[in-house]
């Protein structure tokens, strides 16, 4: 990485400084700001510009070791013959004269870094040069420190302008990272870097450099990803230690309390006698205070201070710190909801006796946000003798954290400790879902449910819900909903059991195309999930089902807003399953819009989120959508999925390879299979893909604007009605389906051309190109109509495109399941229609051969 990062986000500061430099009444500029904000970097850019413009520039660095030596900071600029015995005034004039003469008539510019460390004579020299307009002086000093009186007088007397250099905004921080790395950083890493650095360029640079040095930061598929912990470089640690070490014993204790317990209320700290310490550390810029409601909270001035202080605190000192924190919180009665889990964690860390039931309750509270902490507390609750409830919670937390094998081992152990049918059913249902969706062991999951059903008396709804989840995962939406109906009727109370049933029902209803029913189920389920977080993952599955249902109903803007909110929350929570789900939702929305590049990026992210690379409930759907999105860019993806989703993905792979006949066959099979299991929404989408492949037929029992547009598109294509195709394009655009709109407009353009209406054809083609501007990389069969000859039939075009890729007649015949004679006869007809003589010319008309192919001139 280059020594100097690009200067990003400082346009306003540079403009201010350049105005000051151009103003004849201004002879100095005072740059101030927090350590690492970029004051020195800004000054270096200004000096480089001035030197390039002909100025004589000098860089002066003040140091504490030279602060008692007269002109110590300027020693490297002084003549060797300087008279050290002269009085102060004479020596001052002697040095000033030497500097001005050395400029040889050019503009003299001095930059003084760390001006607060200047000796008295150096500070006076700086003031004199600026006050007499002998030089333009750029002075750099940290925020919150006292500078020598002569330097302060420059600003007070308006000889110099003052420029406060603040931290970068979040957008500027991301821009700087992108420019420095030469590529985009994943959202989760962006979020972590922003919250750790708060826009401090120096801290940001050192963390990124630490990631590069450790290998935690690496690029894949054009995206920089961060795996593992953020590692500070030794230089950054030393910089922070230098800042935090200048404190007395009482101040250090306060910094440690904040490092391990922030934010802390100011009231209990004052009761501990820390009022004066709070004032001194805040004045020194080490702590900050902010009001939250009626509470005045105190925290360290920068998150990285806490990282470094925690690293340097010994285990014994940590335990003592936690004891003080626990006592401090006890003084306030731990009245706030967030206080209880904090108190439990601090008591445990301090080695104080703690009720296991309180520990378990704290773990349940933390399930919403902090899963690593929730797992630690759940494990502590088990160790302290919390019984069945604690062990079951620990298993759930491990599932939520992606530790599926560990969770299965614990659930298998817990199955032998159950004392009631209800406990047995709960454990068996949870274990079956974990086996299926966490470990991809569906047969074993079915066996667990079979065994449990024979072991419990009567109907166990926990087992029925688990069975329904397996049916839904297989694509049998109708069977899943049939199982869930009686369960929901029997369990009207908003408890964990009903929540589990609602989660499964939401996904099944989304695939069945029952949008309003799905949204109602999601709303009810989210209300339960908000009040009871003991079933981790329920909320994210409900939110994903909602986005999918809205997309299939054509409500794309609504889906996009919700998916964006879910993603921002997931990035903040830093929980793998939530981020995978939210990324899948964004990918689903992007694919519905037709932005295939964004869809590919988000869907890949959903499959590769750190800590969540095991199978999950919607993984097959994500794999299928990713394969289709890749195919819509003209790639031939590798997709090996079972069932209708697999055939649907394979159909698009064939279409990308020019095999439309095979694509139509596979898509027809996929649509029929989806319809037979109640997945009407998926079936409708596949039926419309058949239209996109050139089969002008569509049927569906569903209603809604998007399905109506599917049907209208098919009718217009069947009739070759250009005006109706234009209307279908508009209808697709109105709901946001811009790729579908572009395809329909391309078909309309071809129909207009066939009717001899060239002006209308150009208009439709231009509309198609306008919509395609937001569909980056899209290359579907329908879009190819914009550039293909009018005279060719669908079969002729298919064979011509396959031959243009370099395939032999035998290979084409094998793919299309026809005779070689048929292929050759069609080719001769194509040559005659196009007025060409062979395969080489064919490629320039209907497509280009793939790299490495060799098309012969023969038929």
């Amino acid at each position: 990485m280059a020594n100097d990062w690009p200067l990003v986000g400082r346009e306003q500061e540079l403009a201010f400084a350049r105005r000051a430099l151009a103003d004849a009444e201004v002879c100095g500029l005072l740059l101030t700001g927090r350590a690492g904000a970029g004051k020195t970097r800004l000054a270096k850019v200004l000096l480089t510009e001035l030197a390039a413009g002909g100025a004589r520039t000098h860089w002066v660095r003040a140091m504490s070791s030279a602060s008692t030596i007269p002109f110590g900071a300027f020693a490297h600029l002084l003549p060797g013959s300087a008279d050290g015995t002269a009085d102060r005034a004479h020596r001052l004039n002697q040095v000033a004269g030497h500097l001005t003469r050395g400029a040889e008539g050019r503009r003299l510019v001095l930059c003084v870094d760390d001006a607060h460390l200047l000796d008295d004579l150096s500070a006076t020299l700086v003031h004199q040069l600026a006050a007499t307009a002998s030089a333009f002086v750029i002075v750099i000093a940290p925020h919150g420190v006292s500078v020598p009186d002569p330097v302060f007088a420059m600003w007070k007397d308006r000889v110099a302008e003052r420029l406060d250099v603040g931290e970068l905004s979040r957008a500027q921080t991301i821009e700087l990272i992108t420019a420095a790395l030469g590529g985009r950083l994943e959202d989760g890493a962006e979020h972590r870097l922003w919250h750790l650095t708060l826009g401090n360029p120096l801290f940001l640079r050192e963390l990124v450099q630490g990631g590069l040095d450790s290998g935690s930061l690496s690029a894949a598929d054009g995206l920089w990803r961060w795996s593992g912990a953020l590692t500070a470089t030794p230089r950054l640690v030393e910089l922070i230690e230098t800042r935090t070490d200048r404190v007395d014993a009482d101040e250090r204790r306060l910094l440690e309390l904040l490092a391990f317990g922030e934010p802390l209320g100011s009231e209990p700290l004052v009761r501990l006698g820390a009022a004066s310490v709070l004032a001194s550390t805040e004045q020194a810029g080490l702590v900050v205070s902010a009001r939250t409601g009626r509470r005045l909270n105190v925290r360290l001035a920068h998150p990285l201070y806490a990282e470094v202080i925690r690293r340097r605190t010994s285990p014994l000192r940590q335990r003592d710190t936690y004891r003080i924190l626990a006592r401090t919180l006890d003084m306030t009665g731990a009245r706030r909801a967030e206080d209880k889990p904090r108190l439990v964690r601090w008591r445990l860390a301090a080695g104080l006796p703690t009720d296991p039931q309180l520990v378990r309750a704290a773990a349940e509270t933390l399930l919403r946000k902090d899963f690593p902490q929730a797992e630690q507390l759940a494990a502590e609750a088990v160790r302290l003798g919390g019984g069945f409830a604690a062990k079951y919670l620990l298993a759930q937390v491990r599932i939520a954290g992606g530790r599926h094998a560990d969770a299965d081992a614990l659930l298998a152990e817990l199955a032998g400790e159950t004392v009631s049918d209800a406990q047995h059913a709960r454990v068996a249902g949870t274990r079956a879902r974990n086996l299926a969706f966490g470990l991809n062991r569906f047969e074993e999951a079915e066996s667990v449910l079979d065994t449990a059903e024979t072991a419990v008396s009567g109907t166990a709804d926990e087992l029925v819900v688990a069975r329904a989840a397996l049916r839904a995962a297989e694509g049998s939406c109708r069977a899943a909903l049939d199982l869930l109906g009686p369960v929901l009727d029997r369990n009207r109370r908003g408890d964990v059991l009903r929540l589990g049933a609602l989660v499964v029902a939401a996904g099944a209803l989304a695939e069945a195309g029952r949008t309003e029913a799905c949204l109602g189920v999601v709303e009810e389920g989210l209300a339960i999930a908000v009040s009871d977080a003991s079933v981790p993952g329920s909320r994210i599955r409900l939110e994903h089902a909602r986005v999918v249902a809205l997309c299939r109903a054509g409500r794309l803007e609504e889906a996009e807003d919700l998916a964006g909110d879910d993603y921002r929350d997931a990035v903040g929570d830093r929980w793998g399953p939530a981020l995978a789900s939210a990324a899948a939702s964004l990918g689903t929305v992007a694919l519905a819009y037709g932005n295939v590049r964004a869809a590919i990026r988000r869907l890949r992210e959903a499959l590769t989120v750190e800590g969540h690379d095991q199978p999950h409930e919607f993984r097959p759907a994500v794999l299928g959508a990713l394969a289709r999105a890749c195919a819509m860019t003209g790639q031939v993806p590798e997709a090996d999925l079972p069932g209708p989703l697999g055939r649907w993905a394979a159909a698009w792979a064939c279409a990308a390879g020019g095999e439309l006949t095979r694509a139509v066959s596979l898509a027809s099979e996929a649509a029929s299979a989806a319809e037979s299991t109640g997945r009407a929404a998926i079936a409708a989408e596949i039926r419309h893909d058949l239209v996109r492949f050139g089969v002008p037929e569509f049927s569906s029992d569903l209603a809604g604007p998007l399905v109506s547009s599917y049907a209208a598109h098919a009718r217009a294509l069947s009739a070759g009605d250009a005006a109706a195709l234009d209307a279908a394009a508009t209808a697709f655009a109105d709901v946001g389906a811009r790729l579908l709109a572009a395809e329909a407009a391309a078909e309309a353009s071809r129909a207009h051309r066939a009717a001899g209406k060239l002006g209308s054809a150009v208009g439709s083609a231009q509309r198609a190109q306008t919509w395609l501007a937001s569909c980056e990389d899209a290359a579907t069969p329908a879009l190819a109509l914009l550039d293909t000859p009018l005279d060719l039939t669908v079969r002729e075009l298919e064979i011509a495109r396959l031959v243009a890729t370099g395939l032999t007649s035998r290979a084409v015949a094998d793919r299309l399941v026809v005779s070689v004679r048929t292929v050759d006869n069609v080719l001769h007809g194509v040559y005659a229609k196009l007025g060409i003589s062979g395969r080489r010319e064919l490629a320039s008309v209907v497509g280009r051969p793939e790299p490495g192919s060799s098309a012969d001139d023969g038929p």
Side-chain angles (χ1 to χ4, degrees), residues 206-232:
E206 294 302 320
L207 281 178
V208 169
Q209 189 64 56
L212 293 171
D213 292 343
S214 67
S216 298
L217 183 61
S218 59
D221 297 325
L223 186 69
W224 286 87
R225 300 183 183 278
W226 206 301
S227 58
L230 291 167
T231 305

Side-chain angles (χ1 to χ4, degrees), residues 20-335:
L21 283 160
D23 190 338
E25 300 297 320
V26 178
C27 294
L29 181 66
L30 173 60
L31 299 179
T32 185
R34 297 183 190 277
K39 306 180 295 296
T40 301
R41 178 80 173 92
L42 185 66
K44 286 182 176 179
V45 170
L46 291 171
L47 249 64
T48 300
E49 290 181 358
L50 290 164
R56 175 64 169 167
T57 63
H58 294 293
W59 187 273
V60 176
R61 174 76 181 274
M63 294 181 290
S64 57
S65 60
S67 61
T68 59
I69 302 173
F71 296 115
F74 285 84
H76 64 293
L77 299 177
L78 299 183
S81 59
D83 186 357
T85 62
D87 60 31
R88 289 168 60 91
H90 179 73
R91 293 181 65 194
L92 191 66
N93 291 330
Q94 183 183 34
V95 173
H98 172 75
L99 291 173
T100 53
R101 286 192 301 274
E104 299 176 342
R106 293 178 289 169
R107 186 182 192 183
L108 177 62
V109 180
L110 289 177
C111 183
V112 182
D113 200 0
D114 287 334
H116 60 296
L117 300 177
L118 284 173
D119 61 274
D120 290 342
L121 273 178
S122 293
T124 304
L125 173 64
V126 169
H127 180 273
Q128 179 177 317
L129 288 171
T132 60
S134 300
F136 190 96
V137 181
I138 300 174
V139 176
I140 305 171
H143 176 76
V145 301
S146 297
V147 296
D149 288 341
V151 175
F152 179 73
M154 291 172 54
W155 172 67
K156 184 183 69 173
D157 298 340
R158 299 187 177 180
V159 173
E161 294 282 3
R162 171 173 171 157
L163 175 59
D164 289 290
V165 181
E167 279 75 12
L168 299 174
S169 68
R170 182 164 187 166
Q172 290 168 337
T173 299
I174 294 171
E175 182 184 357
L176 176 57
I177 298 171
T178 303
L181 292 175
R184 186 178 173 278
L185 194 66
E186 65 172 341
D187 294 337
E190 283 179 356
H191 178 86
R192 293 167 68 187
L193 281 169
W194 162 251
H195 283 278
L196 273 177
T197 65
L198 297 181
N200 185 293
L202 176 61
F203 292 173
L204 181 67
R205 175 196 169 100
E206 294 302 320
L207 281 178
V208 169
Q209 189 64 56
L212 293 171
D213 292 343
S214 67
S216 298
L217 183 61
S218 59
D221 297 325
L223 186 69
W224 286 87
R225 300 183 183 278
W226 206 301
S227 58
L230 291 167
T231 305
T233 61
R235 177 168 177 255
L236 178 56
V237 173
E238 290 172 5
L239 288 168
I240 294 174
E241 286 176 345
T242 300
R243 182 92 171 113
T244 57
D245 280 353
R246 299 170 183 169
V247 293
D248 60 27
D250 289 338
E251 290 170 335
R252 173 158 297 283
R253 172 54 81 187
L254 175 63
L255 296 184
E256 289 170 347
L257 289 172
L258 291 172
F260 288 96
E262 66 179 359
L264 295 175
S266 63
E267 181 182 347
L269 291 174
V270 170
R271 288 185 189 177
L272 288 173
S276 61
V277 178
L278 280 171
S280 64
T281 51
E282 186 168 29
Q283 185 177 7
L286 294 172
V287 305
V288 293
S289 58
R291 189 168 295 281
T292 305
R294 297 170 58 187
R295 190 174 189 174
L296 185 63
N297 283 330
V298 182
R299 63 172 68 245
L300 291 170
H302 201 282
L304 285 176
Y305 291 178
E307 296 283 334
V308 172
I309 292 170
R310 286 196 294 264
R311 182 185 301 182
R312 298 184 63 201
T313 307
S314 70
L316 284 175
R317 183 83 171 177
Q318 287 184 30
R319 173 168 286 200
D320 191 41
T321 301
Y322 280 121
R323 285 182 178 175
I324 297 174
L325 286 170
R327 187 171 76 247
T328 302
L329 193 53
D330 272 332
M331 293 169 60
T332 66
R335 294 184 298 269

Side-chain angles (χ1 to χ4, degrees), residues 119 210-211 276 322 334 381 383 404 425 451 467 472 503 612 649 680 716 723 726 854:
D119 61 274
S276 61
Y322 280 121
R383 188 184 65 81
H404 302 288
T451 302
R467 187 81 73 180
V503 169
H612 193 66
D726 278 326
S854 57

